Amino acid sequence: MTSTARRTSALALTVALTAALGALTPVGTAHAATGPGALILGGGAIADTNSAVYSTFVTKSGGSAARIGIITAASVVPADDPNAGDPATCSNSVCNGTYYGNLLKNSYGAADAQWIPIDLDHIGNNASQSVLNQINSMTGFFFGGGDQSRLVTTLMKSDNSDSPALAAIRAKFAAGAAVMGTSAGTAITNGRDMVTGGESWDALRYGPHTTISDSYPDDLSYRPEGGFNFFTSGLIDTHFAARGREGRITRLAAATGHTRAFGVDEDTALVVTNPGTANESDAVVGTNGVSILDLRSDTVGTHSGYWSVDGVKWTYLTNGDTYNPATWTATSTKPAYAPTSGTVGSRWSDVFSSPNSPTDHSYQMVKMARELVGAGRSTTQYGISYESGPTFEADLAKGTGYKAWKSGSTISFANLTTHLYVY
């Protein structure tokens, strides 16, 4: 979140909350729908100016008639935000709710956008009739970033069933209301085996765990019960290529029996139409891309005593590209790209964009893939992890089903075969 939109006073916050619980206008006929609403799954760090993402969400929520409920329960509460008193730098559930409300109304033309007053300080509001009335008046819902465990705590019961508020949101979604998430707000839309943390090297080295370790915070963790189960076409991860999460989601998918996983990059969204139906279609909007990992033909084993996987097919789609989950196929309007000259350079380093590296290697695996795609005379390329003990290697190959597209400097590709093992 940028600081420019957090221009609100304590009085304004109080007014916003009062309005949220006050008189509510009914849903207009502009949003009459009989099937599931669209999902706009943002990878995090969505720029205020990213109209491709935000305008899509507002349009799917009813356009100029859109009434959007904002859920920022993944954020810390004001008491835990050291900048709570500064509207320019605060980042907590209340000021973030105001921020997104202003953004969606003032910049993207929603008729209304209101904070849904549920957070760790107001868990009981998930059964409040006034909050349920508020939810039932909405045509779209926005889930902000933070920590998805807070969304579990505030919107789900201890037996993993829906709170009344989540049940109301689910019913609205089933009837056509759009749902957008960013970062944790996207992760929570997943079904079983929702990822909750970890880094790629640690995931490859130690495997997945169902609890988050204070002693080993970089271990791969996940919640077997999952999140809200709005998105069911595969596992989903966020901040994907920027933080080198290719290794962690591959390890989790392989360990939990998932044959497909999606990784959404920052400032980018996967727009899912008819989610969960036979007619589901997915489209990429934004500045970076979405990775789709196909594990139907993977081979899991060991190499030098450590976990390994081969045969994972990696597809990377960019703005305007589409994907059909039913047929496992990607489509692009960009021209086909099959250069006949050029070779790859030497091996790449820090392919999992380690947070421990003193050098920023964001999008390192994608950069390596683009080099291979652009090298017509080369069929393989590889890189290694920053961490050692052991050092993991990622091999990419132009195998069966591989193809690529290019428009300007933007490259998309399908079915690069990936092999992860000890170097």
Side-chain angles (χ1 to χ4, degrees):
M1 177 179 299
T2 64
S3 62
T4 56
R6 298 196 186 101
R7 307 287 192 250
T8 182
S9 64
L11 176 60
L13 295 178
T14 302
V15 171
L17 177 57
T18 302
L21 295 173
L24 301 168
T25 58
V27 177
T29 57
H31 195 69
T34 57
L39 291 170
I40 297 85
L41 303 176
I46 308 295
D48 298 356
T49 55
N50 193 330
S51 61
V53 174
Y54 287 117
S55 291
T56 297
F57 171 51
V58 171
T59 297
K60 296 288 188 181
S61 299
S64 60
R67 292 177 53 83
I68 295 168
I70 299 165
I71 298 96
T72 54
S75 300
V76 299
V77 296
D80 293 330
D81 177 9
N83 298 314
D86 182 0
T89 60
C90 63
S91 182
N92 60 69
S93 56
V94 178
C95 74
N96 290 351
T98 299
Y99 161 74
Y100 284 116
N102 290 337
L103 180 69
L104 293 168
K105 287 188 295 184
N106 300 336
S107 297
Y108 294 101
D112 197 9
Q114 302 176 2
W115 180 51
I116 306 295
I118 299 172
D119 59 15
L120 290 177
D121 278 347
H122 305 92
I123 295 176
N125 279 350
N126 68 21
S128 162
Q129 188 59 53
S130 60
V131 170
L132 297 180
N133 292 343
Q134 183 186 12
I135 289 169
N136 287 326
S137 76
M138 299 301 167
T139 62
F141 298 92
F142 178 90
F143 288 85
D147 185 338
Q148 52 265 44
S149 67
R150 298 185 186 114
L151 291 166
V152 171
T153 300
T154 55
L155 286 166
M156 302 183 80
K157 296 180 180 179
S158 59
D159 64 358
N160 209 48
S161 63
D162 292 352
S163 68
L166 181 56
I169 293 170
R170 189 180 304 281
K172 294 291 292 185
F173 172 59
V179 170
M180 178 175 171
T182 183
S183 190
T186 286
I188 197 65
T189 65
N190 221 172
R192 67 176 180 91
D193 305 318
M194 175 183 68
V195 66
T196 54
E199 301 295 337
S200 281
W201 183 87
D202 302 82
L204 297 175
R205 173 65 177 83
Y206 298 108
H209 307 272
T210 57
T211 57
I212 298 173
S213 170
D214 291 336
S215 300
Y216 302 101
D218 290 340
D219 278 2
L220 169 60
S221 60
Y222 72 106
R223 186 174 191 266
E225 302 85 357
F228 297 163
N229 204 41
F230 293 160
F231 180 70
T232 57
S233 292
L235 291 181
I236 195 162
D237 206 347
T238 59
H239 299 278
F240 195 66
R243 300 186 186 179
R245 289 176 168 172
E246 295 88 353
R248 86 170 190 177
I249 202 64
T250 300
R251 184 74 198 263
L252 180 59
T256 53
H258 291 268
T259 55
R260 182 162 50 201
F262 296 78
V264 188
D265 286 348
E266 294 179 351
D267 205 31
T268 306
L270 183 70
V271 179
V272 184
T273 305
N274 299 315
T277 73
N279 297 319
E280 179 179 321
S281 61
D282 305 336
V284 179
V285 296
T287 59
N288 292 298
V290 173
S291 293
I292 304 160
L293 303 178
D294 178 352
L295 289 84
R296 288 178 296 172
S297 300
D298 72 328
T299 301
V300 173
T302 59
H303 186 272
S304 299
Y306 294 95
W307 186 87
S308 69
V309 65
D310 198 4
V312 177
K313 295 296 184 74
W314 177 23
T315 292
Y316 187 77
L317 304 181
T318 56
N319 188 62
D321 297 339
T322 56
Y323 181 76
N324 185 330
T327 60
W328 297 73
T329 55
T331 306
S332 179
T333 58
K334 301 176 181 69
Y337 184 49
T340 58
S341 63
T343 59
V344 297
S346 58
R347 79 179 187 212
W348 287 67
S349 61
D350 193 16
V351 289
F352 299 120
S353 306
S354 172
N356 299 315
S357 172
T359 303
D360 179 13
H361 289 143
S362 299
Y363 297 91
Q364 192 80 329
M365 185 85 84
V366 168
K367 292 174 183 176
M368 182 173 74
R370 286 174 178 157
E371 180 192 56
L372 176 59
V373 168
R377 296 177 60 189
S378 297
T379 58
T380 61
Q381 178 58 307
Y382 76 103
I384 59 175
S385 64
Y386 171 78
E387 287 85 359
S388 58
T391 299
F392 282 95
E393 178 174 328
D395 291 353
L396 302 178
K398 297 174 180 175
T400 303
Y402 163 77
K403 54 186 172 181
W405 306 271
K406 183 178 181 182
S407 177
S409 61
T410 302
I411 291 175
S412 305
F413 57 82
N415 298 319
L416 272 180
T417 302
T418 305
H419 183 192
L420 305 177
Y421 62 105
V422 167
Y423 173 68

